[in-house]
Amino acid sequence: MAITTVLPNLQRSVAEFLGKPRKMLVDGKWVEAASGKTFETYNPATGEVLAHVAEGDREDIDRAVKAARRAFESGPWPAMSPSERGRLLLKLADLLESHLEEFAELETLDNGKPVFFSRIVDIPTAVDVFRYMAGWATKVEGSTIPISAHGAQYFAYTLREPLGVVGQIIPWNFPMIMASWKLAPALAVGCTVVLKPAEQTPLTALRLGELALEAGFPDGVLNIVTGFGETAGAALAAHPDVDKVAFTGSTEVGKLILGAATGNLKKVSLELGGKSPNIVFPDADLQAAIPGAANAIFFNQGQCCTAGSRLFVHKSIFDEVVDGVAQAAKRFTIGPGLDPSTNLGPVVSKEQLDRVCGYLESGIREGAKAVVGGHKRSGSGYFVEPTVLVDVKPEMKVVREEIFGPVVTAIPFSEPEEVVRSANHTVYGLAAAVWTRDISKAHRVAAKLRAGTVWINCYNVFDPALPFGGYKQSGWGREMGHAVLELYTETKAVCAQL
Ligand code: NAP
Ligand code: MG
């Protein structure tokens, strides 16, 4: 079905973009898959086909890696000064910003999220990340090092060099933000990239590729191969001429990436799942903590790696907080993301809908009770009711596993030591939050939580300057801030006898 008959009010640029089969970006050119195959990407609000996209596989990955290798070793990119690289990234940020409305609409169509959030969160955040990382292009430094080796005098120093050809595999929950987190630092330090977007949400990355060509990135510096994880993604992770793979997605696939990377021992960084504890102490400002807890789980339909999916509430305020979060859940306007009144959209896909509903059924079968929600919404589109589960036990799947949907388990506690133990009782360690007016307690508890990020009296606060990553099975490495430079550079020690 022609897209314009389904969605009559699209911006013209978006309608045109969707009207043609989308090709992949390899070596500065838009190409079909070697096999000629395409796949469909869907509008989660309706389940209808949105666009046809080239289905890249091993051969396409190989072509893209070869282009990235050429671009890394010869041509304009390695000869470019850091300041020129920074300027290209700033130009890309400016172009993206000037197409904000278009990108917001495209992101919402492909992912389902309310367009309000695409406009004020997703696209502006990606712009900020490109700008912040552009600044690092000129600030990656080595050091001079006094050494004590005897027998002679030496002059020793370190160089920080771009790591090489980087494969980047990203998920569908924040397609543009994830693309910016991966691309911006790698390009800033002088790597070349093959990016594989998620099959559910390839569109904004492809449009960004057009802007990158317009900005003037040399051929082969940024390649975008669309396709499936099991084929294109696996080929990228295993490719013998890729120096590093950076992955964001499920812990399960993260382990597959590690396995695939062993062939040439490429470097690996992983940003994986979470089951983040959100702890409300009895002295918290509940006016802030209750909406904070609701947003911690329901933002982006619960499809956040940091989602506050285990809500620990002191028993003295448990009923009040649970009731407040349930009331917040009831106030959401659920609908298609393009409807400006919507503040909770569909989940990304039919598979995700089935997965979330499977968890709801398993939780209720094991004895949990839904205070609010608990079901999918009937009709077309992939809508799940925001849900608060109580009467849960630590061994239940809904408490242990990442649901990645708008479902929170609420758990009462009595003592701070007890809640820290329970909060840390998980294979994950991505994020955590503490709500209290007692600043000593806040920092004491923050120190004890085994998580890469701890928020105090807030939730889901991100910044390009703040390092982000996971303890335990939530990942390897830190993105953002200057910490990310570690992920995309090698350190070379140079030692000269004087
Ligand atoms: P996923 O499979 O981990 O997908 C993430 C990315 O990895 C996608 O680009 C995917 O490609 C690719 N991929 C899949 N299998 C691969 C393989 N064998 N080798 C290389 N790349 C591969 O996540 P999902 O299946 O979309 O979602 C499943 C669950 O993962 C969710 O319910 C959620 O719990 C978790 N998840 C976590 C995050 C996060 O940010 N931590 C993000 C998304 C999902 P295709 O999509 O094209 O197959
Ligand atoms: Mg998938």
Side-chain angles (χ1 to χ4, degrees), residues 24-27 31-35 57-70 194 220 223 225 239:
M24 306 181 293
L25 179 58
V26 177
D27 206 10
V31 297
E32 290 174 4
S35 66
D57 201 338
R58 182 174 303 277
E59 194 176 336
D60 308 282
I61 289 289
D62 192 51
R63 285 180 190 174
V65 170
K66 287 199 169 91
R69 176 59 61 192
R70 272 194 305 276
V194 178
N223 305 275
V225 176
H239 200 288

PDB file of all heavy atoms in Angstrom, residues 24-27 31-35 57-70 194 220 223 225 239:
ATOM      1  N   MET A  24      21.617   1.222   0.797  1.00  0.00           N
ATOM      2  CA  MET A  24      22.629   1.298   1.863  1.00  0.00           C
ATOM      3  C   MET A  24      23.750   2.231   1.436  1.00  0.00           C
ATOM      4  O   MET A  24      23.980   2.411   0.237  1.00  0.00           O
ATOM      5  CB  MET A  24      23.237  -0.078   2.104  1.00  0.00           C
ATOM      6  CG  MET A  24      22.208  -1.139   2.377  1.00  0.00           C
ATOM      7  SD  MET A  24      22.984  -2.727   2.672  1.00  0.00           S
ATOM      8  CE  MET A  24      23.652  -3.082   1.080  1.00  0.00           C
ATOM      9  N   LEU A  25      24.485   2.745   2.409  1.00  0.00           N
ATOM     10  CA  LEU A  25      25.593   3.659   2.106  1.00  0.00           C
ATOM     11  C   LEU A  25      26.918   2.893   2.213  1.00  0.00           C
ATOM     12  O   LEU A  25      27.314   2.482   3.306  1.00  0.00           O
ATOM     13  CB  LEU A  25      25.580   4.831   3.095  1.00  0.00           C
ATOM     14  CG  LEU A  25      26.696   5.865   2.920  1.00  0.00           C
ATOM     15  CD1 LEU A  25      26.685   6.493   1.528  1.00  0.00           C
ATOM     16  CD2 LEU A  25      26.576   6.955   3.983  1.00  0.00           C
ATOM     17  N   VAL A  26      27.545   2.676   1.061  1.00  0.00           N
ATOM     18  CA  VAL A  26      28.832   1.983   1.039  1.00  0.00           C
ATOM     19  C   VAL A  26      29.789   2.794   0.171  1.00  0.00           C
ATOM     20  O   VAL A  26      29.483   3.063  -0.998  1.00  0.00           O
ATOM     21  CB  VAL A  26      28.698   0.538   0.491  1.00  0.00           C
ATOM     22  CG1 VAL A  26      30.069  -0.130   0.402  1.00  0.00           C
ATOM     23  CG2 VAL A  26      27.760  -0.284   1.368  1.00  0.00           C
ATOM     24  N   ASP A  27      30.901   3.188   0.744  1.00  0.00           N
ATOM     25  CA  ASP A  27      31.941   3.917   0.022  1.00  0.00           C
ATOM     26  C   ASP A  27      31.398   5.203  -0.633  1.00  0.00           C
ATOM     27  O   ASP A  27      31.750   5.519  -1.778  1.00  0.00           O
ATOM     28  CB  ASP A  27      32.565   3.005  -1.042  1.00  0.00           C
ATOM     29  CG  ASP A  27      33.994   3.431  -1.365  1.00  0.00           C
ATOM     30  OD1 ASP A  27      34.540   4.288  -0.632  1.00  0.00           O
ATOM     31  OD2 ASP A  27      34.557   2.918  -2.345  1.00  0.00           O
ATOM     32  N   VAL A  31      23.699   2.075  -2.480  1.00  0.00           N
ATOM     33  CA  VAL A  31      23.712   0.825  -3.251  1.00  0.00           C
ATOM     34  C   VAL A  31      22.640  -0.141  -2.751  1.00  0.00           C
ATOM     35  O   VAL A  31      22.250  -0.116  -1.583  1.00  0.00           O
ATOM     36  CB  VAL A  31      25.091   0.126  -3.152  1.00  0.00           C
ATOM     37  CG1 VAL A  31      26.182   1.002  -3.760  1.00  0.00           C
ATOM     38  CG2 VAL A  31      25.428  -0.223  -1.702  1.00  0.00           C
ATOM     39  N   GLU A  32      22.198  -1.006  -3.658  1.00  0.00           N
ATOM     40  CA  GLU A  32      21.311  -2.100  -3.266  1.00  0.00           C
ATOM     41  C   GLU A  32      22.137  -3.201  -2.622  1.00  0.00           C
ATOM     42  O   GLU A  32      23.359  -3.234  -2.773  1.00  0.00           O
ATOM     43  CB  GLU A  32      20.595  -2.634  -4.508  1.00  0.00           C
ATOM     44  CG  GLU A  32      19.579  -1.633  -5.030  1.00  0.00           C
ATOM     45  CD  GLU A  32      18.949  -2.069  -6.337  1.00  0.00           C
ATOM     46  OE1 GLU A  32      19.232  -3.182  -6.802  1.00  0.00           O
ATOM     47  OE2 GLU A  32      18.189  -1.259  -6.885  1.00  0.00           O
ATOM     48  N   ALA A  33      21.459  -4.124  -1.948  1.00  0.00           N
ATOM     49  CA  ALA A  33      22.165  -5.284  -1.394  1.00  0.00           C
ATOM     50  C   ALA A  33      22.720  -6.108  -2.549  1.00  0.00           C
ATOM     51  O   ALA A  33      22.124  -6.153  -3.631  1.00  0.00           O
ATOM     52  CB  ALA A  33      21.200  -6.120  -0.561  1.00  0.00           C
ATOM     53  N   ALA A  34      23.849  -6.774  -2.311  1.00  0.00           N
ATOM     54  CA  ALA A  34      24.447  -7.624  -3.351  1.00  0.00           C
ATOM     55  C   ALA A  34      23.429  -8.665  -3.820  1.00  0.00           C
ATOM     56  O   ALA A  34      23.368  -9.010  -4.999  1.00  0.00           O
ATOM     57  CB  ALA A  34      25.697  -8.296  -2.799  1.00  0.00           C
ATOM     58  N   SER A  35      22.625  -9.156  -2.906  1.00  0.00           N
ATOM     59  CA  SER A  35      21.616 -10.175  -3.247  1.00  0.00           C
ATOM     60  C   SER A  35      20.405  -9.559  -3.941  1.00  0.00           C
ATOM     61  O   SER A  35      19.548 -10.278  -4.451  1.00  0.00           O
ATOM     62  CB  SER A  35      21.136 -10.853  -1.967  1.00  0.00           C
ATOM     63  OG  SER A  35      20.436  -9.886  -1.184  1.00  0.00           O
ATOM     64  N   ASP A  57      23.933  -8.283   3.773  1.00  0.00           N
ATOM     65  CA  ASP A  57      24.383  -9.542   4.376  1.00  0.00           C
ATOM     66  C   ASP A  57      25.911  -9.559   4.338  1.00  0.00           C
ATOM     67  O   ASP A  57      26.535  -8.516   4.121  1.00  0.00           O
ATOM     68  CB  ASP A  57      23.758 -10.714   3.604  1.00  0.00           C
ATOM     69  CG  ASP A  57      23.734 -12.001   4.414  1.00  0.00           C
ATOM     70  OD1 ASP A  57      24.536 -12.131   5.357  1.00  0.00           O
ATOM     71  OD2 ASP A  57      22.925 -12.890   4.098  1.00  0.00           O
ATOM     72  N   ARG A  58      26.487 -10.751   4.464  1.00  0.00           N
ATOM     73  CA  ARG A  58      27.943 -10.895   4.571  1.00  0.00           C
ATOM     74  C   ARG A  58      28.709 -10.136   3.474  1.00  0.00           C
ATOM     75  O   ARG A  58      29.668  -9.416   3.754  1.00  0.00           O
ATOM     76  CB  ARG A  58      28.270 -12.396   4.529  1.00  0.00           C
ATOM     77  CG  ARG A  58      29.737 -12.756   4.685  1.00  0.00           C
ATOM     78  CD  ARG A  58      29.892 -14.260   4.773  1.00  0.00           C
ATOM     79  NE  ARG A  58      29.095 -14.780   5.880  1.00  0.00           N
ATOM     80  CZ  ARG A  58      29.506 -14.792   7.157  1.00  0.00           C
ATOM     81  NH1 ARG A  58      30.708 -14.314   7.458  1.00  0.00           N
ATOM     82  NH2 ARG A  58      28.742 -15.270   8.106  1.00  0.00           N
ATOM     83  N   GLU A  59      28.246 -10.306   2.224  1.00  0.00           N
ATOM     84  CA  GLU A  59      28.979  -9.690   1.109  1.00  0.00           C
ATOM     85  C   GLU A  59      28.947  -8.153   1.199  1.00  0.00           C
ATOM     86  O   GLU A  59      29.944  -7.487   0.911  1.00  0.00           O
ATOM     87  CB  GLU A  59      28.357 -10.162  -0.212  1.00  0.00           C
ATOM     88  CG  GLU A  59      29.231  -9.868  -1.398  1.00  0.00           C
ATOM     89  CD  GLU A  59      28.642 -10.421  -2.699  1.00  0.00           C
ATOM     90  OE1 GLU A  59      27.844 -11.391  -2.661  1.00  0.00           O
ATOM     91  OE2 GLU A  59      28.974  -9.847  -3.748  1.00  0.00           O
ATOM     92  N   ASP A  60      27.801  -7.621   1.595  1.00  0.00           N
ATOM     93  CA  ASP A  60      27.678  -6.164   1.724  1.00  0.00           C
ATOM     94  C   ASP A  60      28.548  -5.651   2.865  1.00  0.00           C
ATOM     95  O   ASP A  60      29.165  -4.594   2.769  1.00  0.00           O
ATOM     96  CB  ASP A  60      26.212  -5.794   1.965  1.00  0.00           C
ATOM     97  CG  ASP A  60      25.318  -6.415   0.913  1.00  0.00           C
ATOM     98  OD1 ASP A  60      25.273  -5.879  -0.196  1.00  0.00           O
ATOM     99  OD2 ASP A  60      24.712  -7.475   1.189  1.00  0.00           O
ATOM    100  N   ILE A  61      28.559  -6.408   3.965  1.00  0.00           N
ATOM    101  CA  ILE A  61      29.421  -6.038   5.093  1.00  0.00           C
ATOM    102  C   ILE A  61      30.872  -6.031   4.631  1.00  0.00           C
ATOM    103  O   ILE A  61      31.637  -5.105   4.925  1.00  0.00           O
ATOM    104  CB  ILE A  61      29.211  -7.026   6.278  1.00  0.00           C
ATOM    105  CG1 ILE A  61      27.842  -6.816   6.941  1.00  0.00           C
ATOM    106  CG2 ILE A  61      30.350  -6.926   7.293  1.00  0.00           C
ATOM    107  CD1 ILE A  61      27.693  -5.545   7.740  1.00  0.00           C
ATOM    108  N   ASP A  62      31.239  -7.050   3.863  1.00  0.00           N
ATOM    109  CA  ASP A  62      32.618  -7.142   3.402  1.00  0.00           C
ATOM    110  C   ASP A  62      32.986  -5.940   2.523  1.00  0.00           C
ATOM    111  O   ASP A  62      34.057  -5.356   2.682  1.00  0.00           O
ATOM    112  CB  ASP A  62      32.810  -8.460   2.649  1.00  0.00           C
ATOM    113  CG  ASP A  62      34.281  -8.739   2.405  1.00  0.00           C
ATOM    114  OD1 ASP A  62      35.054  -8.681   3.379  1.00  0.00           O
ATOM    115  OD2 ASP A  62      34.655  -8.968   1.239  1.00  0.00           O
ATOM    116  N   ARG A  63      32.083  -5.557   1.619  1.00  0.00           N
ATOM    117  CA  ARG A  63      32.353  -4.382   0.775  1.00  0.00           C
ATOM    118  C   ARG A  63      32.499  -3.123   1.629  1.00  0.00           C
ATOM    119  O   ARG A  63      33.370  -2.288   1.381  1.00  0.00           O
ATOM    120  CB  ARG A  63      31.190  -4.156  -0.195  1.00  0.00           C
ATOM    121  CG  ARG A  63      31.184  -5.151  -1.325  1.00  0.00           C
ATOM    122  CD  ARG A  63      30.014  -4.889  -2.242  1.00  0.00           C
ATOM    123  NE  ARG A  63      29.894  -5.994  -3.174  1.00  0.00           N
ATOM    124  CZ  ARG A  63      28.913  -6.134  -4.038  1.00  0.00           C
ATOM    125  NH1 ARG A  63      27.952  -5.230  -4.106  1.00  0.00           N
ATOM    126  NH2 ARG A  63      28.875  -7.152  -4.844  1.00  0.00           N
ATOM    127  N   ALA A  64      31.625  -3.003   2.615  1.00  0.00           N
ATOM    128  CA  ALA A  64      31.659  -1.804   3.464  1.00  0.00           C
ATOM    129  C   ALA A  64      32.945  -1.769   4.294  1.00  0.00           C
ATOM    130  O   ALA A  64      33.555  -0.707   4.466  1.00  0.00           O
ATOM    131  CB  ALA A  64      30.424  -1.776   4.367  1.00  0.00           C
ATOM    132  N   VAL A  65      33.366  -2.929   4.801  1.00  0.00           N
ATOM    133  CA  VAL A  65      34.598  -2.976   5.606  1.00  0.00           C
ATOM    134  C   VAL A  65      35.796  -2.633   4.725  1.00  0.00           C
ATOM    135  O   VAL A  65      36.692  -1.883   5.138  1.00  0.00           O
ATOM    136  CB  VAL A  65      34.771  -4.366   6.275  1.00  0.00           C
ATOM    137  CG1 VAL A  65      36.154  -4.501   6.916  1.00  0.00           C
ATOM    138  CG2 VAL A  65      33.673  -4.589   7.323  1.00  0.00           C
ATOM    139  N   LYS A  66      35.790  -3.136   3.500  1.00  0.00           N
ATOM    140  CA  LYS A  66      36.907  -2.811   2.583  1.00  0.00           C
ATOM    141  C   LYS A  66      36.946  -1.302   2.314  1.00  0.00           C
ATOM    142  O   LYS A  66      38.028  -0.693   2.302  1.00  0.00           O
ATOM    143  CB  LYS A  66      36.751  -3.575   1.268  1.00  0.00           C
ATOM    144  CG  LYS A  66      37.070  -5.066   1.408  1.00  0.00           C
ATOM    145  CD  LYS A  66      37.361  -5.697   0.041  1.00  0.00           C
ATOM    146  CE  LYS A  66      37.944  -7.096   0.194  1.00  0.00           C
ATOM    147  NZ  LYS A  66      36.899  -8.145   0.212  1.00  0.00           N
ATOM    148  N   ALA A  67      35.781  -0.701   2.115  1.00  0.00           N
ATOM    149  CA  ALA A  67      35.723   0.750   1.875  1.00  0.00           C
ATOM    150  C   ALA A  67      36.224   1.507   3.107  1.00  0.00           C
ATOM    151  O   ALA A  67      36.971   2.488   2.994  1.00  0.00           O
ATOM    152  CB  ALA A  67      34.293   1.162   1.533  1.00  0.00           C
ATOM    153  N   ALA A  68      35.798   1.036   4.282  1.00  0.00           N
ATOM    154  CA  ALA A  68      36.222   1.702   5.522  1.00  0.00           C
ATOM    155  C   ALA A  68      37.729   1.560   5.717  1.00  0.00           C
ATOM    156  O   ALA A  68      38.403   2.491   6.186  1.00  0.00           O
ATOM    157  CB  ALA A  68      35.462   1.109   6.707  1.00  0.00           C
ATOM    158  N   ARG A  69      38.280   0.405   5.357  1.00  0.00           N
ATOM    159  CA  ARG A  69      39.731   0.196   5.478  1.00  0.00           C
ATOM    160  C   ARG A  69      40.488   1.139   4.546  1.00  0.00           C
ATOM    161  O   ARG A  69      41.446   1.793   4.953  1.00  0.00           O
ATOM    162  CB  ARG A  69      40.055  -1.283   5.154  1.00  0.00           C
ATOM    163  CG  ARG A  69      41.523  -1.651   5.129  1.00  0.00           C
ATOM    164  CD  ARG A  69      42.235  -1.385   6.444  1.00  0.00           C
ATOM    165  NE  ARG A  69      41.656  -2.162   7.534  1.00  0.00           N
ATOM    166  CZ  ARG A  69      41.923  -1.961   8.829  1.00  0.00           C
ATOM    167  NH1 ARG A  69      42.767  -1.005   9.201  1.00  0.00           N
ATOM    168  NH2 ARG A  69      41.343  -2.711   9.750  1.00  0.00           N
ATOM    169  N   ARG A  70      40.022   1.209   3.285  1.00  0.00           N
ATOM    170  CA  ARG A  70      40.671   2.137   2.334  1.00  0.00           C
ATOM    171  C   ARG A  70      40.619   3.566   2.868  1.00  0.00           C
ATOM    172  O   ARG A  70      41.605   4.293   2.849  1.00  0.00           O
ATOM    173  CB  ARG A  70      39.951   2.089   0.978  1.00  0.00           C
ATOM    174  CG  ARG A  70      40.456   1.020   0.016  1.00  0.00           C
ATOM    175  CD  ARG A  70      39.937   1.274  -1.406  1.00  0.00           C
ATOM    176  NE  ARG A  70      38.481   1.393  -1.502  1.00  0.00           N
ATOM    177  CZ  ARG A  70      37.642   0.372  -1.609  1.00  0.00           C
ATOM    178  NH1 ARG A  70      38.098  -0.872  -1.622  1.00  0.00           N
ATOM    179  NH2 ARG A  70      36.339   0.567  -1.691  1.00  0.00           N
ATOM    180  N   VAL A 194      31.561   1.153  10.020  1.00  0.00           N
ATOM    181  CA  VAL A 194      30.441   0.467   9.368  1.00  0.00           C
ATOM    182  C   VAL A 194      29.347   0.350  10.427  1.00  0.00           C
ATOM    183  O   VAL A 194      29.533  -0.314  11.451  1.00  0.00           O
ATOM    184  CB  VAL A 194      30.830  -0.934   8.857  1.00  0.00           C
ATOM    185  CG1 VAL A 194      29.620  -1.631   8.240  1.00  0.00           C
ATOM    186  CG2 VAL A 194      31.980  -0.843   7.859  1.00  0.00           C
ATOM    187  N   GLY A 220      33.593   6.345   2.208  1.00  0.00           N
ATOM    188  CA  GLY A 220      34.088   5.202   2.964  1.00  0.00           C
ATOM    189  C   GLY A 220      34.305   5.466   4.445  1.00  0.00           C
ATOM    190  O   GLY A 220      34.509   4.532   5.213  1.00  0.00           O
ATOM    191  N   ASN A 223      29.937   4.144   6.598  1.00  0.00           N
ATOM    192  CA  ASN A 223      29.154   3.209   5.782  1.00  0.00           C
ATOM    193  C   ASN A 223      27.984   2.722   6.626  1.00  0.00           C
ATOM    194  O   ASN A 223      28.139   2.500   7.829  1.00  0.00           O
ATOM    195  CB  ASN A 223      30.022   2.023   5.372  1.00  0.00           C
ATOM    196  CG  ASN A 223      31.287   2.476   4.679  1.00  0.00           C
ATOM    197  OD1 ASN A 223      31.303   2.712   3.477  1.00  0.00           O
ATOM    198  ND2 ASN A 223      32.364   2.633   5.446  1.00  0.00           N
ATOM    199  N   VAL A 225      25.130  -0.225   6.679  1.00  0.00           N
ATOM    200  CA  VAL A 225      24.600  -1.452   6.083  1.00  0.00           C
ATOM    201  C   VAL A 225      23.362  -1.865   6.874  1.00  0.00           C
ATOM    202  O   VAL A 225      23.455  -2.197   8.058  1.00  0.00           O
ATOM    203  CB  VAL A 225      25.657  -2.589   6.096  1.00  0.00           C
ATOM    204  CG1 VAL A 225      25.055  -3.881   5.552  1.00  0.00           C
ATOM    205  CG2 VAL A 225      26.869  -2.174   5.281  1.00  0.00           C
ATOM    206  N   HIS A 239      33.959 -10.097  11.330  1.00  0.00           N
ATOM    207  CA  HIS A 239      34.832  -9.758  10.193  1.00  0.00           C
ATOM    208  C   HIS A 239      36.307  -9.635  10.615  1.00  0.00           C
ATOM    209  O   HIS A 239      36.627  -8.895  11.543  1.00  0.00           O
ATOM    210  CB  HIS A 239      34.375  -8.452   9.535  1.00  0.00           C
ATOM    211  CG  HIS A 239      34.897  -8.305   8.144  1.00  0.00           C
ATOM    212  ND1 HIS A 239      36.216  -8.034   7.887  1.00  0.00           N
ATOM    213  CD2 HIS A 239      34.299  -8.420   6.937  1.00  0.00           C
ATOM    214  CE1 HIS A 239      36.403  -7.982   6.579  1.00  0.00           C
ATOM    215  NE2 HIS A 239      35.242  -8.215   5.975  1.00  0.00           N
TER     216      HIS A 239
END
